[in-house]
Amino acid sequence: MIDKIKSLFGEESVSVTPDQNTYMDYSWFSTENQEIFGIKTGSLTVEQNNLLECLFTKLESNTIMMPSAQSEWFQYLYFNKGHNPLFFENENELPSSIRFIHFYSNQLFTHKVEFEEAINAFFHKEVIVVWNSAKEGVIIEKINDQPFNKEFLEHMQEIIAADLYHDVTFLVGKRYSPLANLYLYFDIEHQCFKKALSVKRQKHILWFSKEMLHYILSFLPEQLQKELPNLFLNDMKIDDPILSTVKIYLQQNLNVTATSKKAFLHRNTVQYRLDKFSEQTGIDLKHFEDGLVIFLAIHLLELTSET
């Protein structure tokens, strides 16, 4: 919808990001999907304005601005405008680290305030929630001690789903120094999150360090993504018991005993399958570099098997 508005009124006359200094120069509207856009007042005729008011919800200018902290973070993280907002904080008040927790819902957040209140209640401290659209945004967590663990975040997701009727997916970023180049790190995490959402499999709490694998592999040429599994796995299928055992072995840090427990197999059976794999492929999984390539090949095979 916004793209159509831009094509009608011109890219330079339409804004979707209210700016503290110029937002009064625009007439602001909201679509039924709660997408906000503004059109320069001088670009609108009376008839056009009346038509837009019939099609969309007219917003008062004083209601469209985010609180100053949210606005600064929004401009900095999503558009690299301005400076890291933490640069201007007192040195004694700086957190030890910053973490981004990205979120996305297939449903529109019709009551954003309720979601923000729920997030603040869970964290038991002030966090900043920055919205990128009516479906997604990021939670900025200032950390002075230990960050919340996986179980806590999973519980939070379940409660939000039950109480707010929103099936939200979160991607938990890593911890950064508060004065680091946060825009760059945020952008990488955000792109990784979008890629992870496209391949998500019944998971609601995603971790940046784990999902980065999907993101990196997406840059491989499509032909290589298709051929690499055949190249290293000798046409094995994803349901081959030898291959499934090899995957678990790699995930268990090349530990045969841990693999046998995880796979519910006798230790001798695990060793037999590993030996069989090496015999068929000529690859010794005990070498880290070889094991890494095989793990990537198995991962790509899984992706191609799902399509």
Side-chain angles (χ1 to χ4, degrees):
M1 177 60 72
I2 301 299
D3 289 338
K4 292 181 179 179
I5 295 294
K6 288 181 178 180
S7 66
L8 287 173
F9 292 94
E11 187 94 21
E12 68 284 351
S13 298
V14 180
S15 173
V16 294
T17 56
D19 182 88
Q20 188 73 40
N21 299 316
T22 62
Y23 75 97
M24 292 294 291
D25 299 332
Y26 291 78
S27 297
W28 294 93
F29 302 88
S30 175
T31 71
E32 61 179 8
N33 292 335
Q34 296 191 355
E35 294 178 297
I36 294 175
F37 66 92
I39 301 177
K40 281 186 179 179
T41 305
S43 302
L44 281 175
T45 66
V46 175
E47 291 77 11
Q48 288 173 329
N49 185 73
N50 292 339
L51 178 60
L52 288 169
E53 288 188 21
C54 292
L55 297 174
F56 306 106
T57 302
K58 179 71 179 289
L59 301 176
E60 296 298 326
S61 295
N62 60 0
T63 67
I64 58 95
M65 288 303 299
M66 301 177 186
S68 58
Q70 288 179 309
S71 178
E72 288 177 9
W73 280 107
F74 175 74
Q75 295 291 337
Y76 174 64
L77 294 178
Y78 287 100
F79 298 97
N80 196 21
K81 293 182 179 178
H83 301 281
N84 179 344
L86 295 176
F87 283 160
F88 306 104
E89 290 199 8
N90 188 300
E91 185 176 349
N92 297 326
E93 297 177 356
L94 283 174
S96 61
S97 60
I98 285 287
R99 183 168 72 170
F100 301 118
I101 302 177
H102 309 252
F103 63 87
Y104 175 83
S105 173
N106 287 322
Q107 307 156 265
L108 294 172
F109 284 94
T110 54
H111 301 288
K112 293 180 180 178
V113 174
E114 287 185 2
F115 178 78
E116 293 182 21
E117 290 175 347
I119 294 298
N120 277 287
F122 269 104
F123 280 86
H124 303 295
K125 60 183 177 182
E126 183 181 0
V127 295
I128 300 174
V129 180
V130 179
W131 296 88
N132 184 38
S133 73
K135 289 186 174 183
E136 68 171 309
V138 64
I139 301 163
I140 303 172
E141 180 188 6
K142 298 179 180 180
I143 301 172
N144 285 310
D145 41 41
Q146 289 297 315
F148 293 108
N149 59 26
K150 177 182 178 182
E151 290 72 23
F152 171 87
L153 295 171
E154 287 177 344
H155 177 63
M156 179 181 74
Q157 190 278 331
E158 291 170 358
I159 295 299
I160 288 174
D163 291 356
L164 301 183
Y165 305 104
H166 264 280
D167 191 18
V168 185
T169 299
F170 296 90
L171 179 132
V172 184
K174 68 178 295 291
R175 297 172 65 169
Y176 302 109
S177 167
L179 299 182
N181 187 357
L182 296 180
Y183 162 75
L184 175 62
Y185 301 148
F186 169 83
D187 186 57
I188 294 172
E189 288 189 2
H190 188 224
Q191 297 302 321
C192 178
F193 186 36
K194 291 196 289 187
K195 180 60 182 178
L197 288 171
S198 70
V199 297
K200 183 170 74 81
R201 297 181 296 276
Q202 304 302 316
K203 291 190 294 184
H204 294 96
I205 301 295
L206 309 175
W207 296 84
F208 174 57
S209 56
K210 292 182 172 58
E211 297 303 323
M212 192 63 180
L213 176 62
H214 299 283
Y215 186 51
I216 292 173
L217 290 178
S218 69
F219 289 98
L220 290 178
E222 186 175 344
Q223 186 66 26
L224 181 57
Q225 292 186 39
K226 292 180 179 179
E227 293 302 327
L228 194 144
N230 295 331
L231 182 65
F232 285 98
L233 303 178
N234 289 26
D235 295 321
M236 289 184 180
K237 303 302 180 185
I238 197 62
D239 56 356
D240 190 316
I242 292 178
L243 202 57
S244 63
T245 303
V246 167
K247 178 184 177 182
I248 296 173
Y249 175 68
L250 295 171
Q251 291 174 326
Q252 298 300 313
N253 301 314
L254 314 185
N255 187 305
V256 174
T257 301
T259 302
S260 64
K261 291 180 179 179
K262 183 73 174 180
F264 301 103
L265 295 170
H266 192 279
R267 194 178 191 282
N268 291 343
T269 304
V270 172
Q271 190 61 60
Y272 170 80
R273 291 181 179 179
L274 295 177
D275 292 341
K276 199 69 176 175
F277 177 84
S278 295
E279 178 186 319
Q280 292 180 14
T281 62
I283 294 175
D284 186 353
L285 294 172
K286 293 178 182 178
H287 296 292
F288 173 79
E289 291 84 357
D290 292 333
L292 177 60
V293 171
I294 293 302
F295 185 80
L296 295 179
I298 293 173
H299 183 75
L300 287 171
L301 183 61
E302 289 176 332
L303 291 179
T304 55
S305 299
E306 292 173 358
T307 57

